[in-house]
Amino acid sequence: MVDKATLVEAIISDLIAAQTRTLEDLTKNDPFGLPRLLPAGNGETIQIDKAIDDNITKLASILKAEKPELVKNVREEEWRSWLRSAIGPLLMNVKTSDPVSTSAASVLAGLNVEITSLIAGLGQSEFAFGTTFLDVRDLPTFNIGPVTFETREKWLDRKLTDGGISETMHRRIARAWGGAKLRPRRKNVDNIRERDILDILGNTCFVCSVKLNGLSGEASREFALSAARLGLTCMAMLWEQSAKALSGMNLRIDQGMRKERMLRFVPSKIILQGSRMIGRPSGPSISASDLNKTLAREANFFSAAGEVLAYFVSSDGGVARPELMNALMQSLLWFHEGCRERNDLLAVVDFAASLDALGGGKKARAILEVIEARLGAKGADSIYPGGPTLKVVVDTIYSDGRSRAIHGTSDKIGHDWTRMRSHAEALARHSLFASLSWAGATPQARDPELLKK
C-alpha cells in the first residue's frame, strides 16, 4: 500500500506538471467530462486531473484510518470533502523550486493541523423533528436518553430559553400555530429560520428532539434520525401490537398515514378501483395521567432504553457497559425494521435477527435460552392451548423464516406468513422488553451472555 508521503509527493509532482497542460488534455479520457476543481481558499480554485483527484481520495482514506475514533464520527464523502478543502490552500503555497519531498512534508504537517482543528470543532448539536407520536393531551415532557418528546409549544418555549430562537420568532410561530395569518416580514436570517420551523414541524403537535456530541454534520443527521425512530419504537413497545402502534407514530420526515390505490382487471368482469388506508393518524390513545403512571411503572425499561440510545449516538461508544448496550441496540434496530416492514416473511427475518442479537448470534438454541431466562417460559410449553410448542415456533422462525430466506434456500417464498409474523413479533417484543427491563434493574450487569441466565 502506498504511504501518505508518497501520495502527497505524487500529487505535488502531477500538479506542477499540470500547469503546462491544456484544459482538453486535463479532461481527456475522464468520465467526469468537466474540469476538476480543487478549492484553494479565498474563492480561488486549482484545476486538477483525475489522477490527482484519485490520489487525494486515497490520501483521505489513509489519514482517516490513522484515526480510528473517526470511523463513526465522520462519513467518508464528508471526510473527503473536508480534505479537499484543506489541502487546496496548502498546495497553493507549494514552491516549484523546493524539493518535492520537502513540500510534501510541509503539506502533511499543515493537514495535521487542519484535521486537529476539524476534530476539535465536532461539538454539540440538537435535531428536532415533528412527530405524530401519541393521541394524548397535555403530554408531559420526558426523555429516553438523548431523545426528548414534548409538545411543540413546550419545545418552542425551551428554544426561546436556550437562545435557539428570538422573541420575535417565538411570538410569530406561536401565532401561526394558533391559526393566525402572519404578516410578511423583512427578509433576513430569522425570516428564513422561522419559515423552516413552520415547514419542518408542520401541523404535528409534538416534537422529538435528539442531542448529540462529537459527530460531523452528515453523521449527526443520520444518527439523529435513527435515534428518533428508535425512540418511537421504544414507546410503541408499551403496546402488545407494537407494529400496529408504531404505524401511527411517525416523524413528519417519514411516510405517515396514506391511501394506497390500485387498479385491477379481470377478463369479462368490471372491477372497480380499490383502495385501502396504510398507517394511522397517530399512535394509540392514552391520557396524560396514564402515561405518567406507565413511565413510572416501566422506569427500568426506559432507563435501559435511554442507555441504549445514548450508546447508539455516542461518538466513541464510551458508555458504562458497551457490550451489553451493543447487543440490546442491535436487537432494537432489527425490531424497529420488523415493525416497519410490510412483507410478512421479511418481517419474520427482522424479528428473528432481533432475537438473534439477544442470543449473541448463537442460533435458535440461544434464542430459546433468552426467552426461557427472561420470560420464564419453557421450550416444551405450547404458545397457546392446542398450539405448537415454543421450541417449534422458535425453530421455525429461525430456520424457515430467517436462515433459509436470507441464504436463498427457502421453498416457502410467497406462502402466507401472517401468523408466523405475529408469533415472531410477540416473541421479539416480549424478549427485548424483558431484557431491557432486566438491564435497567441490574445496572452492574455488563456481559450480554447474562441475558441467557
Side-chain angles (χ1 to χ4, degrees):
M1 183 177 180
V2 181
D3 63 87
K4 58 185 179 182
T6 301
L7 276 174
V8 177
E9 288 178 12
I11 290 169
I12 293 173
S13 296
D14 288 348
L15 185 61
I16 293 172
Q19 306 309 306
T20 60
R21 295 168 64 190
T22 65
L23 178 61
E24 183 180 2
D25 192 28
L26 286 172
T27 57
K28 187 177 181 180
N29 299 322
D30 187 346
F32 184 60
L34 296 173
R36 295 176 184 249
L37 301 176
L38 191 66
N42 299 320
E44 297 182 339
T45 58
I46 304 172
Q47 285 191 352
I48 60 176
D49 62 8
K50 185 177 184 299
I52 296 174
D53 213 7
D54 288 346
N55 278 335
I56 291 175
T57 299
K58 292 175 185 176
L59 179 63
S61 297
I62 291 174
L63 292 175
K64 189 177 181 185
E66 289 180 345
K67 298 184 179 297
E69 69 272 19
L70 295 181
V71 169
K72 184 177 180 181
N73 303 33
V74 184
R75 292 296 177 255
E76 295 291 341
E77 188 57 34
E78 197 170 23
W79 177 257
R80 178 178 176 273
S81 177
W82 279 4
L83 190 76
R84 291 178 97 257
S85 297
I87 199 173
L90 296 171
L91 292 174
M92 281 286 283
N93 293 327
V94 168
K95 296 179 180 179
T96 57
S97 58
D98 291 340
V100 172
S101 59
T102 302
S103 297
S106 177
V107 168
L108 280 173
L111 281 177
N112 284 330
V113 172
E114 291 295 322
I115 289 171
T116 300
S117 176
L118 284 169
I119 294 173
L122 297 177
Q124 296 180 350
S125 60
E126 179 180 330
F127 286 75
F129 308 97
T131 174
T132 52
F133 199 43
L134 298 169
D135 181 9
V136 57
R137 291 174 179 244
D138 302 318
L139 173 74
T141 299
F142 68 96
N143 303 314
I144 307 177
V147 179
T148 300
F149 294 102
E150 59 198 324
T151 63
R152 62 183 185 181
E153 291 78 16
K154 290 178 181 176
W155 173 85
L156 192 66
D157 290 344
R158 180 168 65 83
K159 297 320 292 178
L160 175 63
T161 301
D162 67 21
I165 61 173
S166 67
E167 290 186 4
T168 301
M169 288 172 64
H170 179 278
R171 183 176 62 254
R172 285 173 59 85
I173 291 170
R175 291 187 66 242
W177 284 344
K181 185 175 181 180
L182 300 180
R183 292 181 179 178
R185 62 182 299 187
R186 183 167 54 87
K187 292 184 178 180
N188 53 28
V189 174
D190 269 7
N191 181 38
I192 296 172
R193 295 179 65 223
E194 177 185 298
R195 290 202 317 268
D196 284 345
I197 290 172
L198 290 171
D199 180 51
I200 291 169
L201 300 185
N203 60 356
T204 53
C205 297
F206 307 105
V207 177
C208 175
S209 303
V210 183
K211 292 183 178 179
L212 311 100
N213 190 25
L215 297 170
S216 69
E218 186 60 24
S220 61
R221 184 192 69 83
E222 292 179 15
F223 278 108
L225 268 172
S226 294
R229 291 164 180 151
L230 292 180
L232 291 172
T233 303
C234 291
M235 289 303 299
M237 289 179 68
L238 295 174
W239 281 266
E240 187 73 27
Q241 294 180 301
S242 299
K244 185 177 181 180
L246 193 59
S247 70
M249 300 167 68
N250 297 294
L251 301 179
R252 190 166 186 266
I253 200 171
D254 296 326
Q255 277 191 317
M257 187 176 70
R258 61 199 182 280
K259 181 179 286 188
E260 185 179 77
R261 307 176 73 183
M262 62 201 74
L263 296 172
R264 181 188 178 203
F265 294 89
V266 177
S268 304
K269 289 185 180 181
I270 297 177
I271 305 294
L272 298 179
Q273 175 180 291
S275 67
R276 61 178 176 177
M277 295 303 299
I278 303 297
R280 293 169 171 244
S282 72
S285 178
I286 188 172
S287 67
S289 61
D290 284 346
L291 179 57
N292 275 324
K293 292 175 184 177
T294 300
L295 293 173
R297 184 179 68 248
E298 305 298 348
N300 288 331
F301 167 80
F302 283 108
S303 174
E307 277 190 80
V308 169
L309 294 183
Y311 169 76
F312 178 71
V313 303
S314 66
S315 59
D316 58 2
V319 298
R321 33 187 188 166
E323 294 84 3
L324 180 58
M325 292 303 113
N326 186 51
L328 293 171
M329 179 269 290
Q330 292 190 59
S331 180
L332 180 60
L333 276 171
W334 283 112
F335 184 78
H336 165 81
E337 292 301 316
C339 288
R340 292 296 192 189
E341 178 57 57
R342 292 186 61 187
N343 181 281
D344 290 331
L345 175 56
L346 295 183
V348 171
V349 172
D350 293 333
F351 290 130
S354 176
L355 289 164
D356 205 20
L358 297 177
K362 297 178 181 177
K363 304 183 179 181
R365 178 63 252 177
I367 292 174
L368 192 57
E369 289 176 358
V370 171
I371 295 173
E372 289 177 338
R374 301 275 62 86
L375 303 181
K378 300 298 180 185
D381 295 343
S382 297
I383 61 171
Y384 55 84
T389 65
L390 176 60
K391 184 179 185 306
V392 168
V393 172
V394 169
D395 286 342
T396 302
I397 290 171
Y398 188 84
S399 179
D400 288 350
R402 175 198 175 277
S403 295
R404 293 183 183 178
I406 65 175
H407 292 126
T409 60
S410 176
D411 58 357
K412 296 180 180 179
I413 302 294
H415 288 205
D416 188 352
W417 285 87
T418 308
R419 177 173 294 186
M420 194 55 63
R421 173 182 185 153
S422 178
H423 295 336
E425 179 186 342
L427 288 176
R429 173 190 173 268
H430 284 296
S431 299
L432 179 55
F433 195 100
S435 295
L436 285 165
S437 297
W438 170 83
T442 319
Q444 71 277 12
R446 295 171 178 266
D447 187 355
E449 284 294 309
L450 293 174
L451 292 171
K452 295 181 280 191
K453 307 294 185 183

